[in-house]
Structures are given as structure tokens and as C-alpha cells.
Amino acid sequence: MPLTIKVLLENRRADGAEKSLLGKAGLSLFIKDETTSVLFDTGPDSSFLHNAAVMGVSLTDLTATVLSHGHYDHCGGVPWLPNNSRIICHPQIANERFASVKLAGFSRRLKKLSLDIDYSRHQMEYSRTPVPISERFLWSGEIKVDEPRAYGIISGDNAAVDYVIDEGVLIYKSDHGLVIITGCGHRGIINIVRHCQNITGIKQVYALIGGFHLRSALPLELLRVRRFLHQLKIQKVMGCHCTGAWGRLWLPNVIAPATGDTFVL
């Protein structure tokens, strides 16, 4: 059973792609098998919708939209989804959050990383635990991490460290193993893969696609990731968005998806 992945939005436009397609910092993927179609992330604005029209992709009969986490470059296009869209995500996706820097022991806000989005007009399925979408598609739910990494602060009466606990991934159970689709990989790509193996009981990973958040990773971390992926013998490694050119240098047999690309697995 083939799985088709169309890149509706990515940081750059594919070489030779239609020039009216938009490349913009963010991610949006249209993923379809014979029975199910899923929109994974929406990018920062309406660009994904424009690109879908150019690419001839209809988003009117989606089985579900899955949002990986609450950063604006992944859920900013939600206002352009049709009313009553089925959206699957973590219950903390709407947290107000900021990038930050620590000065004199205090965290100072920098760039805002969230948007004020009205989720109430949609059919929201908030879950910390895995959600089956179809026989083969699965939302991972919250990914447990022993030593989480901070990515800013969450607004509130007492600003808290933001570990992006709302991040989850989309899993496809193919005949050749798991296909794991990530938004940014804030929870760590090794943690993500192990979580997916644990909740599905499937150890073989066929493909890993999306943002891996390795663009500024240190060589020791990149070496750990490289060795891990080698050990798993993953057939397809597609690092885009926040994987970065630096991160891709370290990954085995990696390719870089771009806006306008189509992959059939």
C-alpha cells in the first residue's frame, strides 16, 4: 500500500518547482494512503493553502489535521482551515510562549513563538496519549523525556520553562516498518523514535521525515544521532525545516524535502 507525502510548505522551494509556490519558514505536509488523508502542520499562515491549490491538492475531505506543537510556524495556518475541521493535538498547544535569554539569573522574553488562535470553531481532539486515526495512522501523544531541553518560557503569573511537552508526531505503520513524521523534534529525535517503537510495539523504522532540530546541535549530539540511525538501518531519512544544512551533514543518506516535492513510499 503506497504512502504519498506532498510537501505543501517548507523553508525553501524545490529546484524546478512551479515558481508561484511559496517557500517560508515552517512546515506543512499532506500525507495520504488508500483510505486516509492527513494534513500534518499548517505552517505560519495561509501559504500552505495557496501551495496546495497550485499543486492540485484538495484539503476539503481530510480525515484529520494533526498539529505537532504550538509554535507559530507549525500551527499558524489554523485560521485558514475550514470550520469544524477535525484537529488532533496536545491539550497545551495554545500556551503563550516566548524565546528567552537568561540574564542575572532571570529569564527575559524575546520573540513570541505562539499565536492567539481560535480553536473553538474546530472539532478539537486534545490528548496526551496516542490517538488512532485509522488502521495505519497514529498520533503519538506526549513524548516522555528523562532530561528535557528548554526552548524558552511559557507565559503566566509565574513564567515557567518551556520544554515543548506538547510536541507529538504522526506515525504510519507501513508493511516495511514505521514511518515517523516530525514537526521540529524538540523532544530529541532519539527519544521520539524510541517512543514510537514503544507505543506501537514495532521496532523496525522504515522512514524518518520532518524537522529534527539539529541546525545548531553540537558535534557530540549529532554523532549520537548518526550512530543511532545507522543502527536502526532506516531506509529513508528526510530532514527538512529545522534540521538545517549543518544537521544534514551528519545524517546517513539524508535528503532535504522542499516545497513542491512529492514522495511515494
Side-chain angles (χ1 to χ4, degrees):
M1 181 179 295
L3 180 71
T4 300
I5 301 173
K6 291 184 177 288
V7 184
L8 301 186
L9 188 73
E10 213 279 318
N11 293 28
R12 63 185 182 85
R13 188 176 64 226
D15 294 339
E18 168 62 48
K19 291 185 178 180
S20 63
L21 289 172
L22 303 173
K24 190 172 291 187
L27 186 66
S28 183
L29 305 174
F30 175 76
I31 305 157
K32 181 179 177 64
D33 70 1
E34 292 180 358
T35 64
T36 307
S37 59
V38 177
L39 178 67
F40 181 77
D41 284 347
T42 64
D45 51 31
S46 63
S47 299
F48 80 100
L49 201 60
H50 165 84
N51 289 345
V54 174
M55 294 171 67
V57 176
S58 173
L59 301 178
T60 57
D61 296 313
L62 291 171
T63 306
T65 294
V66 169
L67 301 178
S68 62
H69 62 299
H71 285 167
Y72 71 92
D73 51 340
H74 294 264
C75 61
V78 167
W80 286 271
L81 291 175
N83 287 334
N84 297 315
S85 294
R86 180 191 180 195
I87 298 178
I88 301 170
C89 61
H90 191 279
Q92 293 190 18
I93 195 166
N95 282 344
E96 185 179 38
R97 60 230 305 185
F98 297 83
S100 66
V101 62
K102 220 168 195 178
L103 296 172
F106 294 94
S107 293
R108 308 295 183 188
R109 293 180 181 179
L110 296 175
K111 180 182 180 180
K112 188 175 180 181
L113 298 177
S114 59
L115 296 173
D116 297 324
I117 296 172
D118 179 13
Y119 290 103
S120 66
R121 64 186 185 87
H122 297 296
Q123 298 178 40
M124 302 302 298
E125 295 183 31
Y126 296 111
S127 182
R128 295 177 182 272
T129 57
V131 175
I133 301 171
S134 67
E135 182 180 350
R136 291 179 179 264
F137 280 102
L138 177 70
W139 154 249
S140 71
E142 188 174 312
I143 297 164
K144 304 298 183 184
V145 178
D146 291 333
E147 297 181 3
R149 182 176 299 175
Y151 289 96
I153 58 176
I154 299 173
S155 181
D157 294 335
N158 296 304
V161 175
D162 186 6
Y163 295 110
V164 198
I165 68 168
D166 58 311
E167 181 178 39
V169 301
L170 181 64
I171 304 166
Y172 184 77
K173 293 179 280 188
S174 81
D175 294 336
H176 304 289
L178 298 178
V179 177
I180 301 173
I181 299 124
T182 69
C184 261
H186 290 293
R187 303 295 277 176
I189 203 65
I190 295 176
N191 295 324
I192 288 170
V193 170
R194 285 175 175 162
H195 175 82
C196 295
Q197 291 172 319
N198 289 338
I199 65 173
T200 62
I202 300 171
K203 298 304 179 184
Q204 181 63 45
V205 179
Y206 176 65
L208 189 59
I209 304 162
F212 305 158
H213 216 276
L214 296 174
R215 60 190 173 197
S216 58
L218 296 175
L220 185 59
E221 178 185 357
L222 289 161
L223 191 58
R224 284 180 61 243
V225 172
R226 179 180 175 84
R227 286 173 176 169
F228 179 75
L229 298 184
H230 263 306
Q231 289 170 358
L232 288 180
K233 298 179 180 179
I234 298 177
Q235 298 296 307
K236 308 284 185 182
V237 180
M238 305 181 188
C240 55
H241 188 46
C242 56
T243 306
W246 167 245
R248 285 192 294 270
L249 280 175
W250 295 77
L251 301 181
N253 303 315
V254 67
I255 64 173
T259 298
D261 279 336
T262 296
F263 302 94
V264 179
L265 305 182

